[in-house]
Amino acid sequence: MAARIEHVVTSGVFSLDGQDFDVDNNVWLVGDDAEVIVVDPSHDPAAVQRAVAGREVVAVVCTHGHNDHVNGAVALAAEVGAPVLLNPADQELWAQAHPDATPDGELSDGQVLRVAGTEVRVLSTPGHTWGSVCLYIPDLAAVLTGDTLFAGGPGATGRSFSDFPTIIESIRERLLTLPPETEVHTGHGDRTTIGAEAPALPEWIARGH
């Protein structure tokens, strides 16, 4: 079976800087009928495990360290026997959600993960957090952007560990250079494409978010 991308939505609370927000998160599974990579298992690890459906989990990958993207990672990894991977630049954020656990491995720019005969390339895209990464899958013409890029603009940068000029540079240099037909699978909300978003870059810069 060819690799594919599957989707689960979970709901919970995002907490940062003393504020709480109710959120719906996209959890992505990349793989085939035998093995998968799970990306950003949030809020409800049991629901994510049901979606895994007994397949081998090669890795649990966190695109960044915000609690609503990592709070299910440790429990899921323990159940499926997989390593949790995170860019170490987000260790401080990770510790807010998991003070008694550490990731099993690191993510770095240019790293290649392999699942179901398919390459998943790690792109360093700081800005939403210092350690944010995106996952580009050339064979599937897709990129999983976490909270770096959404339909309609960049991820939020008004809180701790974030910076607007940095996220703009990441989007301009690392994402908008991908083929325009590349489908963007976001951390929250609807999918989009690189081609649909690229023309709006000047507007985002002008509005400052």
Side-chain angles (χ1 to χ4, degrees):
M1 293 289 291
R4 60 186 183 272
I5 299 174
E6 301 169 41
H7 181 215
V8 179
V9 178
T10 61
S11 300
V13 177
F14 165 50
S15 301
L16 187 65
D17 296 340
Q19 295 182 294
D20 295 332
F21 307 88
D22 293 328
V23 288
D24 296 327
N25 281 65
N26 294 327
V27 182
W28 301 103
L29 285 72
V30 182
D32 60 10
D33 289 344
E35 61 180 24
V36 292
I37 288 173
V38 177
V39 180
D40 291 345
S42 52
H43 308 305
D44 189 348
V48 180
Q49 189 173 358
R50 288 193 295 272
V52 170
R55 290 173 287 183
E56 178 186 357
V57 178
V58 175
V60 174
V61 176
C62 300
T63 61
H64 62 289
H66 282 154
N67 75 290
D68 62 320
H69 289 255
V70 306
N71 58 14
V74 172
L76 177 67
E79 289 294 327
V80 300
V84 179
L85 307 181
L86 176 78
N87 186 326
D90 270 5
Q91 178 60 44
E92 188 173 354
L93 282 168
W94 165 276
Q96 294 180 13
H98 298 294
D100 300 319
T102 57
D104 301 294
E106 299 182 355
L107 296 172
S108 59
D109 187 52
Q111 182 177 352
V112 176
L113 309 175
R114 290 179 172 82
V115 62
T118 299
E119 289 191 353
V120 178
R121 301 178 186 173
V122 179
L123 308 177
S124 178
T125 54
H128 180 67
T129 67
W130 301 132
S132 288
V133 303
C134 296
L135 304 173
Y136 178 45
I137 313 166
D139 288 350
L140 300 181
V143 61
L144 280 58
T145 56
D147 286 0
T148 294
L149 178 64
F150 294 102
T157 54
R159 304 185 183 98
S160 298
F161 309 100
S162 67
D163 181 71
F164 180 71
T166 301
I167 201 172
I168 287 296
E169 181 179 1
S170 292
I171 291 170
R172 179 195 292 118
E173 300 299 327
R174 307 310 307 277
L175 298 180
L176 300 187
T177 53
L178 299 176
E181 66 272 16
T182 303
E183 190 167 40
V184 177
H185 298 258
T186 61
H188 309 270
D190 296 333
R191 304 175 194 179
T192 183
T193 66
I194 293 296
E197 300 305 317
L201 179 65
E203 176 189 339
W204 305 338
I205 295 171
R207 75 188 188 195
H209 62 86

